[in-house]
Amino acid sequence: MKSISERDQQVNWHPYTQMQTAGPPLAIVKGDGVWLTAEDGTQYLDAISSWWVNLHGHNHPYLMDAIRKQTQLLDHVIFSGFTHAPAVDLSEALLTILPSSHEKIFYSDNGSTAVEVGLKMAIQYHVNRGANKHTIIALKDGYHGDTFGAMSAGGRGIFSTPFENHLFQVEYIDVPIIGKEDESLRQLSKIIKHHDVAGFIFEPLLQGAAGMIMYSPQILSEMIHLCNENDILTIADEVSTGFGRTGKYFAADYLSHKPDIICMSKGITGGVMALGATSATAQVYNAFLSDDKSKMFLHGHSYTGNPLACVVAKASLDLLQEDDTWTAIKRISTQHHQFVSNVMNHPYVEDARALGVVLAVSVKSGSEESYFNYLRDRLYNFFIHRKILLRPLGNVIYIMPPYCITDEELNMVYTAISDLLDEL
Ligand SMILES: Cc1ncc(COP(=O)(O)O)c(C=O)c1O
């Protein structure tokens, strides 16, 4: 009998995978906490929360139970003209942890669509008010997803090159990393002076896919303030930073000036089901209220507000709000900082950094830091061989574990990284 992995190769086309050269996929049959069990029984430690989605560990009984109960009641129903308790409960719960200026939640299906919604809200907001403001500003090297709007707002590079002719124009500013803050702010004000800017989109404090690049809340707050003064909506893409990853509920919690629109997905359901959500302030929402139907927000998806996804998201928020979860987040964060100081001076470490539960180590490679850095496959294979799922971004190794990871499990990952560095 053929294995799942063999059958897969006959029928499936996998994301971000060169199907000609990639090895056979690992078929996973079971998840439990940070552990994934493959069909041959081998267990792998999921140190990247399965593409940053899982918060509380795989197959958490409380989350599985929430879905099971909901399956007795309602699978799905259209969300235009209809509603249901799971969506209302989730929105109420989200609004208690979002910045207090946020008043409404718009649901979609994933991170890219949450961003599409954010961008379209910002653009239509100005159209509805009769303002001639269309330009979008974004940070260089940002990643906002793979749909066309999200791709347009993302940094231009290897992910977007084939589609370049089909993307809308965006004005970019440098990421305000340490030492570049003034230059970045200067670029922002210059663009504001010379364009009719509708919105500024950014991954707050942490640019994930670009290689876990970190920058300070102070400079982002200043940038948001400048946008506020110029009637420009600010869109925080918290798809990866939301739900505790940076050490607070949202990266926006570190900011003295809050964004107008926040895009959420990934951790929103604890990593169990696909769901996107975009929150907006009353000021944004009110610009869509009119007797004129054409001013309604012109967007919607078939599975908007799926009840199963909403109940599991609400259950995940219940867990996230427990003291034990925050103790775990602080513990992981402290350990990460300790590991950063341990490896910082290693001859093969270019840079090491940590924010919340995210740890990143840039390995010296002698060539440009990029997703296609030649070291990537060597690093990935080294860790898989050690039964640890890490998916380096080029030469950048990072950990973003579920919060249930124990000290012992974390040490397995740190030890593997140290061994790798010693072996280079
Ligand atoms: C910051 C950010 N925005 C958007 C996305 C896109 O999310 P999705 O893959 O769910 O479409 C990602 C995915 O990695 C992301 O990191």
Side-chain angles (χ1 to χ4, degrees), residues 28 30-37 43-59 245 270-271 383-384 386-391 398-406 409-410 412-413:
I28 300 300
K30 190 169 174 291
D32 184 13
V34 294
W35 294 99
L36 297 169
T37 308
Q43 290 203 305
Y44 294 88
L45 195 163
D46 184 356
I48 57 156
S49 301
S50 279
W51 251 346
W52 322 347
V53 298
N54 193 291
L55 296 190
H56 312 291
H58 291 277
N59 272 49
R245 294 296 189 197
F383 294 117
I384 280 293
R386 294 280 288 254
K387 314 287 182 268
I388 295 171
L389 169 52
L390 285 176
R391 230 185 113 85
Y398 71 89
I399 313 177
M400 197 192 287
Y403 306 148
C404 63
I405 193 167
T406 63
E409 290 159 344
L410 255 185
M412 283 174 62
V413 186

Side-chain angles (χ1 to χ4, degrees), residues 91-141:
S91 297
E92 285 173 354
L94 283 171
L95 289 168
T96 63
I97 60 167
L98 281 160
S100 58
S101 53
H102 284 236
E103 290 195 3
K104 299 285 182 208
I105 308 290
F106 190 96
Y107 289 109
S108 61
D109 302 341
N110 54 61
S112 304
T113 56
V115 167
E116 295 288 334
V117 167
L119 289 168
K120 286 175 76 173
M121 271 180 187
I123 292 166
Q124 199 186 332
Y125 165 86
H126 293 292
V127 172
N128 281 2
R129 293 160 76 237
N132 184 27
K133 288 161 84 75
H134 305 288
T135 303
I136 297 292
I137 303 179
L139 296 182
K140 273 183 199 154
D141 299 327

Side-chain angles (χ1 to χ4, degrees), residues 51-53 109-115 143-147 150 202-204 206-209 237-241 263 265-266 275:
W51 251 346
W52 322 347
V53 298
D109 302 341
N110 54 61
S112 304
T113 56
V115 167
Y143 177 74
H144 298 292
D146 289 344
T147 49
F202 45 83
E203 288 164 87
L206 175 76
Q207 284 196 306
D237 175 355
E238 295 242 21
V239 168
S240 71
T241 51
C263 313
S265 187
K266 289 201 186 270
L275 182 69

